[in-house]
Amino acid sequence: ELRTPITIIRGHLELMGDDPQEQQETIELVMDELDRMNRLVNDLVLLAKSENPDFLELEAVDIASFTEELFVKIKALAKRNWRLDCLAKGTIAVDRQRLTQAIVNLAQNATQHTTENNLISVGSAIEGQEVHFWIRDNGEGIAESDQKRIFERFGRVTSSRRRSEGAGLGLAIVKAIVEAHRGFVRLDSHLGMGAKFTIVIPLETNKKEENRG
């Protein structure tokens, strides 16, 4: 993943001539590739930090308000048929910033496998002793053979008609953040029938973690 942008940068710098317009185009391309490398390094650092005991900064979060805030943020990702599903009532102890990043990553992933006319929904609910946050869409769906692999680092959907942006770390980051909250991510999807990613976080674990803080 790092070799490719390095090769592109080296190749264009070696071939750059004296023409000012050509030099400007090369500089823009190099800066774009460096930005991509920077995002990749930051993602890898986050994944490394997720294994540390102090990775999370827990705080009491109102679930309904948090879900509404998420909906406002993800609507800006792309032009889609956005919908807010139900809102859970209650409070949980989570890392607001990390959990926001995880759910926004899921929403970004959904935009890459849908078109403008497709539906993308966000919602939350409490089921038993668990809090559920989900992103669902009615896009192209994910083949069963891909469903476990896409949570691995640099894993991508092989059946997708569109090339996903980024290095394939988005869902690995989601998994790491959720597991740091003692939870898990559930995927329900079939090709041609959309996908639903559900983040499941146990309420009791959150209470214990909050008491430790």
Side-chain angles (χ1 to χ4, degrees):
E1 294 295 331
L2 285 170
R3 286 193 188 104
T4 300
I6 290 173
T7 300
I8 292 173
I9 291 171
R10 183 188 297 274
H12 280 81
L13 289 177
E14 289 175 348
L15 296 174
M16 185 173 64
D18 297 328
D19 180 67
Q21 182 177 351
E22 179 186 348
Q23 290 178 347
Q24 182 61 35
E25 291 174 353
T26 299
I27 291 172
E28 291 175 359
L29 182 144
V30 167
M31 293 303 297
D32 185 65
E33 290 300 311
L34 288 173
D35 286 342
R36 187 156 68 95
M37 292 174 66
N38 187 58
R39 289 194 299 271
L40 172 58
V41 171
N42 287 338
D43 286 347
L44 289 171
V45 169
L46 187 149
L47 286 169
K49 287 182 176 179
S50 70
E51 300 174 4
N52 296 337
D54 60 348
F55 175 61
L56 300 180
E57 295 183 7
L58 300 180
E59 62 178 292
V61 173
D62 180 81
I63 304 171
S65 297
F66 178 66
T67 308
E68 290 177 326
E69 291 172 9
L70 287 169
F71 181 64
V72 172
K73 291 178 180 178
I74 65 176
K75 284 196 300 182
L77 292 174
K79 186 177 180 181
R80 295 291 186 272
N81 180 14
W82 296 99
R83 182 180 299 172
L84 181 60
D85 289 338
C86 55
L87 302 173
K89 294 183 179 180
T91 304
I92 52 171
V94 294
D95 187 315
R96 177 188 290 269
Q97 181 181 356
R98 299 296 191 195
L99 189 56
T100 295
Q101 181 178 5
I103 298 172
V104 169
N105 277 6
L106 290 180
Q108 180 66 49
N109 182 71
T111 65
Q112 294 173 359
H113 301 283
T114 54
T115 62
E116 286 189 11
N117 296 325
N118 284 129
L119 168 74
I120 302 180
S121 298
V122 60
S124 59
I126 294 179
E127 298 186 14
Q129 295 301 309
E130 298 173 337
V131 183
H132 292 201
F133 296 95
W134 63 83
I135 295 288
R136 64 181 181 91
D137 66 72
N138 61 353
E140 62 190 26
I142 302 169
E144 186 175 351
S145 58
D146 286 326
Q147 292 186 16
K148 289 184 178 180
R149 188 176 55 79
I150 60 174
F151 288 99
E152 299 172 358
R153 299 182 185 190
F154 306 109
R156 293 189 179 95
V157 176
T158 57
S159 57
S160 176
R161 295 187 297 272
R162 288 175 292 279
R163 171 73 169 176
S164 295
E165 299 176 359
L169 291 174
L171 293 180
I173 288 173
V174 172
K175 183 172 180 285
I177 291 173
V178 175
E179 289 182 348
H181 283 89
R182 306 296 189 266
F184 62 92
V185 185
R186 184 171 65 219
L187 170 59
D188 299 296
S189 181
H190 299 281
L191 277 179
M193 300 176 63
K196 181 179 181 180
F197 288 84
T198 305
I199 290 175
V200 181
I201 300 176
L203 276 171
E204 289 301 320
T205 299
N206 275 276
K207 290 176 182 177
K208 292 176 183 177
E209 294 291 337
E210 188 177 25
N211 290 335
R212 288 178 190 173

